Amino acid sequence: MRIFLLISLIILCLYADVFAQAHISQNLDSVLQNTEIIEMSDPFRMLKSHIYYTKTTNISRNLDSISNLSFKKINFNNANVSIKSDSIYWFKTQIYSKLQYDKEVFFSVGFVARAEVYVEYPDKTIVKRITGFNNSNNIRDIKQAYASVRLLLPKNQLIKIWIRYETENKISDISPKIFDKEKSLEFWFKKDFSVALLQGAFWIMMLYNFLLLLVFRDKAYLYYICYIFVSTVFIALQNVPYEFWFLDQLIAYRNIIAYLCIANVATFYILFVKYFVRQDEDYPKLARYSTIYVAIRTVINAVFVVLMLQNVLTELFSIETNLLLIADISFGVYSVTVIAKGRKNMLLNRFLLAGSLCLFGGGAIDTITSIFRFIIIDDFSFFTYGFLAEIIIFTFGLAQRSSLIEKEKRKAQQELIIQLEANDAMQRNINRDLEQKVAERTLEIVNQNEELEVNSKLLMQQNARLDKAYTQITDSVRYAKRIQTALLPSKTTWNEAFPNSFVLYKPKDIVSGDFYWFAKEGENIFMAVADCTGHGVPGAFMTVIGNNILNQIITENANPEKSIEPAYILTELDKRLLQTLQQQGVEVNKDKVNDGMDIALVKINASMAQITVSSARRVVYQFRNAQLIEHEPNKFPIGSSRFGVKVFEQKVIDYQQNDIFYLFTDGYLDQFGGTENRKFMIKQFRSLLIEIHNVPFSEQYQILNTKIEEWKNGITQTDDILVIGFQLK
């Protein structure tokens, strides 16, 4: 009987225990109905089943008062929540950890400007953590992550989470997530390492192209560097950890900086393409479209930046920026397509097409994977690596472009020399034939009057031949003029270096024996005015030789640490000119060579406010405070062998703001005219400059040109005329 009672008691206890466990499990299940459950197999968990939110203008952070607000459940499978900057949003959820140990994880709150996370533990302890991309590093809970905080999950415990959101822009996805801490740290380390390598590659390419810009002074390199810079900064904003930013306070302006970068990527890309393939020459219609598009885009960028600074943004802002991005891509694709279809500069077109395909292809792959939510390679940006491939290809393309430009320049110089030599030979042959024919016909007329009619016909035929030959010579000389003009500094290059200046250039014949020359070397600007012996074809031939030697001297002596001096340039010019004449069979012994040139050469250093003058038989005028200063030249020319040892001296002048300088040849001074048919002379020219030097340069040009035309009064021009005036700031 006692055994039966004992067994009954044991059965009753077991039943009571089972009943109690069932009751506890039923109560726990009831509590966990609105709770996110975390298990051991969850290295990554999207919290989207039990999230509640409310909107308020109350700035209070008291959780008791906030809990009394009306919360709505979010179904992330059906809709997203839009957050506006004029309200404060509270989200709440609760998490139950089934782990058998305490575990620290990372809790992501979504892409938001500012967020505060309040965690309530079972012992009623509340822990506050701060995150958000507009919060600085010193207050953000995790410096490496602008959207995450640390979260401790106690074993078999329920915790409550409150999230207070503030934002400066509309966002559409705020679904919270939980990440495994160790895996996240490993992921961030790998990502930061790859980002550092890419950023290093971008900045190295930028520095390399900047050095090439200093060498070639080409606008294509300038816009290319700007394109790389804004693209690199934009990629850095998206990928570089925030603790590495050297100015933490700039985080507040992250959106503005990012918008400026992505907006100007298209602007600098279009400008780079414009100069890379020389649209103004080969694609003038596309060049006009590019200029108009860049102007419109610049205005839109300015308006958007003002709105962002004033925090006046509409809900359509993201749509508007996406439409502008689509417009940028469309215009870029259109430009590349038009250029690819062209038949000019095919090699450069291939570089442009290959680089653009890398960029657009990478961007397209990233866009497709984002839209359809599938991953080809973990944490791999095809756009970033496409951009890297693009800048490498474009860098090779720019190198090829520079090589082509140099070849074209050398070819133009060679064509001019060949053309001038051919013209000179043709002129000599025609003169010889003309003299011979005239002598023969004259003798026949004297001795054979009966053949006068026949001879007259022959002379008419000969005259027709001479007229035809003269036309051929004139056409050839005009072609030589086009080549000679191409060797002079372009109007754009000249105006960039000397915005306050004028150039009065009046050749006596179709081609000229006077020329002006311009070059940049580091921060120094070299400029020269030269008068070669003779005019017309012989003088023009000498200008080509002089121009070519000056360019060689600058190129061979380029040194960013120490610039060459004008006196050295004139010494080298004198030596090399005599060598060139000797190579062409001219005897260069004393009293044998008179060929050469008079030249005035200046070097301008704006940073030191200095101008160095060295000249051969050409005086340089300077006006300071309405006073004329004459800088006397060396007394011997370039090239002539009638002088002994030539030592060219130079003078360094500390110029002041608004100083005016004049360089000129003797053509203006030697022009015959006036009422007494005499030369204009240096005294009258000096008086004219004193009278007009304070008027604008455009008016100085008109006065000088009108004065010499009135002075000629129908008389043939005596010599080539060249006068240059400029003002230094």
Side-chain angles (χ1 to χ4, degrees):
M1 183 65 179
R2 290 179 181 178
I3 295 175
F4 175 76
L5 291 175
L6 180 61
I7 293 173
S8 299
L9 182 60
I10 292 173
I11 293 174
L12 182 61
C13 290
L14 289 174
Y15 175 78
D17 182 65
V18 171
F19 178 80
Q21 290 291 338
H23 182 70
I24 293 173
S25 177
Q26 182 178 2
N27 290 338
L28 182 60
D29 291 340
S30 176
V31 172
L32 299 183
Q33 284 182 357
N34 298 320
T35 304
E36 296 284 350
I37 308 298
I38 303 299
E39 300 183 14
M40 186 177 297
S41 59
D42 291 336
F44 166 81
R45 175 68 179 271
M46 174 80 74
L47 306 182
K48 60 182 181 179
S49 300
H50 304 289
I51 307 294
Y52 300 84
Y53 84 100
T54 186
K55 180 176 73 172
T56 180
T57 56
N58 186 357
I59 63 173
S60 172
R61 288 172 169 79
N62 185 283
L63 297 184
D64 292 334
S65 62
I66 296 300
S67 63
N68 293 327
L69 298 177
S70 177
F71 282 80
K72 299 179 181 179
K73 185 175 182 180
I74 306 174
N75 187 348
F76 286 103
N77 293 325
N78 297 330
N80 294 323
V81 176
S82 298
I83 292 183
K84 302 179 182 178
S85 58
D86 58 350
S87 300
I88 297 172
Y89 288 78
W90 282 90
F91 287 71
K92 70 176 183 178
T93 186
Q94 54 188 18
I95 299 175
Y96 182 82
S97 173
K98 288 188 175 182
L99 303 176
Q100 298 305 310
Y101 52 89
D102 294 345
K103 182 176 179 63
E104 187 176 52
V105 296
F106 288 155
F107 181 66
S108 173
V109 300
F111 188 79
V112 69
R114 293 180 177 86
E116 298 173 9
V117 179
Y118 299 84
V119 183
E120 182 179 349
Y121 289 97
D123 59 358
K124 301 303 180 181
T125 301
I126 297 177
V127 177
K128 174 185 175 181
R129 302 192 187 279
I130 297 175
T131 188
F133 59 78
N134 273 2
N135 285 318
S136 59
N137 291 340
N138 58 348
I139 65 172
R140 201 166 48 242
D141 187 50
I142 303 176
K143 293 183 178 181
Q144 298 98 319
Y146 53 79
S148 299
V149 298
R150 291 170 293 128
L151 179 64
L152 178 63
L153 298 178
K155 64 177 181 178
N156 296 319
Q157 296 289 329
L158 179 71
I159 61 173
K160 296 180 180 180
I161 299 176
W162 307 77
I163 309 171
R164 185 180 187 271
Y165 281 109
E166 290 184 40
T167 185
E168 297 175 358
N169 293 294
K170 173 185 173 182
I171 63 174
S172 59
D173 184 5
I174 57 164
S175 53
K177 309 174 185 67
I178 288 179
F179 298 91
D180 183 88
K181 178 181 177 180
E182 287 73 18
K183 293 184 181 298
S184 296
L185 291 174
E186 180 183 359
F187 168 79
W188 286 337
F189 175 78
K190 292 180 179 178
K191 179 181 178 182
D192 293 347
F193 182 74
S194 63
V195 167
L197 289 179
L198 284 172
Q199 287 291 313
F202 295 154
W203 285 100
I204 288 173
M205 295 301 295
M206 198 184 314
L207 177 61
Y208 171 72
N209 284 279
F210 178 75
L211 295 176
L212 293 179
L213 170 65
L214 297 179
V215 174
F216 294 108
R217 304 284 179 176
D218 191 338
K219 283 187 177 181
Y221 278 103
L222 173 63
Y223 292 122
Y224 183 51
I225 293 170
C226 294
Y227 169 66
I228 298 177
F229 175 75
V230 295
S231 300
T232 301
V233 173
F234 177 76
I235 293 173
L237 286 172
Q238 309 304 314
N239 296 282
V240 174
Y242 276 33
E243 70 270 20
F244 295 134
W245 287 93
F246 63 94
L247 291 177
D248 190 43
Q249 58 269 30
L250 286 181
I251 292 178
Y253 300 98
R254 177 184 182 280
N255 290 339
I256 298 177
I257 297 173
Y259 174 78
L260 282 174
C261 289
I262 194 63
N264 284 292
V265 163
T267 299
F268 289 125
Y269 175 82
I270 293 170
L271 290 173
F272 161 69
V273 172
K274 179 180 178 181
Y275 286 94
F276 179 71
V277 297
R278 293 184 286 191
Q279 288 183 4
D280 290 328
E281 300 176 11
D282 299 334
Y283 307 94
K285 185 176 180 180
L286 179 59
R288 289 194 299 271
Y289 289 163
S290 298
T291 302
I292 294 172
Y293 187 84
V294 168
I296 295 174
R297 195 66 170 91
T298 302
V299 173
I300 294 175
N301 292 345
V303 172
F304 272 35
V305 169
V306 171
L307 293 177
M308 295 176 78
L309 288 173
Q310 296 180 352
N311 203 24
V312 181
L313 296 174
T314 66
E315 296 181 4
L316 298 177
F317 178 75
S318 60
I319 298 176
E320 294 165 352
T321 53
N322 287 335
L323 290 176
L324 288 174
L325 184 59
I326 293 173
D328 293 339
I329 296 173
S330 300
F331 190 84
V333 172
Y334 166 75
S335 299
V336 173
T337 303
V338 171
I339 295 169
K341 290 182 178 179
R343 295 298 178 182
K344 300 177 180 179
N345 298 323
M346 292 300 295
L347 182 59
L348 297 183
N349 292 352
R350 293 190 184 100
F351 278 107
L352 178 63
L353 181 60
S356 300
L357 284 176
C358 289
L359 181 69
F360 294 150
I365 294 174
D366 280 352
T367 301
I368 293 172
T369 56
S370 176
I371 292 174
F372 294 100
R373 298 182 180 276
F374 66 89
I375 298 175
I376 299 177
I377 302 176
D378 288 337
D379 192 40
F380 187 88
S381 172
F382 287 93
F383 170 79
T384 301
Y385 287 92
F387 172 67
L388 177 61
E390 180 196 46
I391 63 175
I392 293 174
I393 293 172
F394 281 176
T395 298
F396 282 109
L398 281 169
Q400 184 64 34
R401 177 179 179 274
S402 299
S403 176
L404 290 175
I405 291 175
E406 287 298 320
K407 289 180 180 179
E408 291 176 358
K409 186 175 181 180
R410 289 196 297 269
K411 181 180 179 182
Q413 291 179 341
Q414 189 63 31
E415 288 180 353
L416 176 59
I417 293 174
I418 294 173
Q419 189 65 45
L420 291 173
E421 290 177 345
N423 292 345
D424 190 50
M426 185 182 298
Q427 184 70 56
R428 290 197 301 270
N429 291 335
I430 291 175
N431 289 340
R432 185 172 58 253
D433 291 344
L434 179 60
E435 291 173 359
Q436 181 179 354
K437 295 297 182 183
V438 170
E440 292 176 357
R441 295 298 179 264
T442 302
L443 181 61
E444 291 178 2
I445 291 172
V446 172
N447 296 328
Q448 300 177 4
N449 290 330
E450 64 275 14
E451 297 180 359
L452 180 60
E453 183 176 356
V454 175
N455 291 337
S456 296
K457 292 182 179 179
L458 291 175
L459 285 174
M460 292 176 63
Q461 294 175 359
Q462 185 63 35
N463 287 336
R465 290 175 57 196
L466 291 175
D467 289 340
K468 182 177 180 181
Y470 178 79
T471 300
Q472 293 176 347
I473 293 175
T474 303
D475 291 342
S476 298
V477 173
R478 291 188 186 279
Y479 178 72
K481 175 180 175 60
R482 291 198 298 270
I483 300 177
Q484 186 184 46
T485 302
L487 298 178
L488 296 175
S490 69
K491 185 176 180 181
T492 300
T493 303
W494 181 268
N495 289 336
E496 289 178 353
F498 301 100
N500 295 325
S501 66
F502 74 85
V503 178
L504 178 63
Y505 182 56
K506 299 171 70 69
K508 175 184 183 298
D509 301 312
I510 297 176
V511 290
S512 174
D514 291 358
F515 75 97
Y516 58 101
W517 171 80
F518 165 85
K520 284 186 178 180
E521 194 262 320
E523 61 180 1
N524 297 305
I525 296 177
F526 294 89
M527 191 262 283
V529 167
D531 181 3
C532 300
T533 53
H535 46 74
V537 173
F541 183 83
M542 188 65 68
T543 67
V544 175
I545 297 175
N547 191 297
N548 191 38
I549 293 176
L550 286 171
N551 286 330
Q552 289 177 359
I553 295 172
I554 293 296
T555 302
E556 293 171 2
N557 293 274
N559 186 344
E561 297 180 358
K562 182 178 180 182
S563 175
I564 58 175
E565 298 298 329
Y568 172 81
I569 295 175
L570 293 189
T571 302
E572 284 294 303
L573 177 62
D574 179 72
K575 180 177 66 175
R576 298 187 187 192
L577 180 60
L578 288 173
Q579 291 175 352
T580 301
L581 295 174
Q582 187 177 24
Q583 290 172 0
Q584 295 183 0
V586 179
E587 296 184 23
V588 296
N589 297 325
K590 187 175 181 181
D591 298 328
K592 292 292 185 179
V593 175
N594 292 321
D595 295 331
M597 66 184 71
D598 300 339
I599 185 171
L601 174 65
V602 297
K603 181 184 80 170
I604 303 167
N605 188 309
S607 63
M608 300 178 63
Q610 287 184 343
I611 179 169
T612 306
V613 179
S614 183
S615 61
R617 296 175 57 173
R618 298 304 328 141
V619 66
V620 176
Y621 285 165
Q622 175 187 2
F623 282 92
R624 174 177 292 174
N625 299 326
Q627 297 297 317
L628 173 62
I629 304 171
E630 297 187 28
H631 301 290
E632 295 298 329
N634 296 285
K635 301 302 182 182
F636 33 80
I638 300 295
S640 175
S641 62
R642 293 185 299 159
F643 297 83
V645 177
K646 300 178 186 178
V647 179
F648 292 94
E649 298 178 350
Q650 66 184 28
K651 182 177 182 181
V652 179
I653 305 165
D654 294 321
Y655 67 80
Q656 299 178 3
Q657 185 171 354
N658 298 326
D659 280 4
I660 301 175
F661 293 82
Y662 293 94
L663 282 68
F664 49 91
T665 62
D666 59 7
Y668 202 105
L669 319 179
D670 292 344
Q671 179 60 49
F672 283 91
T675 56
E676 300 178 2
N677 193 23
R678 58 182 177 85
K679 291 184 177 181
F680 194 88
M681 302 301 291
I682 185 67
K683 181 179 180 180
Q684 186 176 189
F685 179 71
R686 186 167 49 235
S687 299
L688 179 58
L689 291 182
I690 293 173
E691 179 182 350
I692 70 171
H693 76 278
N694 277 327
V695 304
F697 283 97
S698 58
E699 295 183 21
Q700 291 188 39
Y701 173 89
Q702 294 296 335
I703 293 171
L704 287 169
N705 188 53
T706 303
K707 184 69 174 179
I708 199 66
E709 291 298 327
E710 292 175 353
W711 177 261
K712 287 194 297 187
N713 194 24
I715 297 177
T716 303
Q717 186 169 321
T718 306
D719 196 0
D720 302 313
I721 293 175
L722 176 57
V723 181
I724 291 179
F726 60 94
Q727 184 180 57
L728 297 175
K729 295 295 185 181

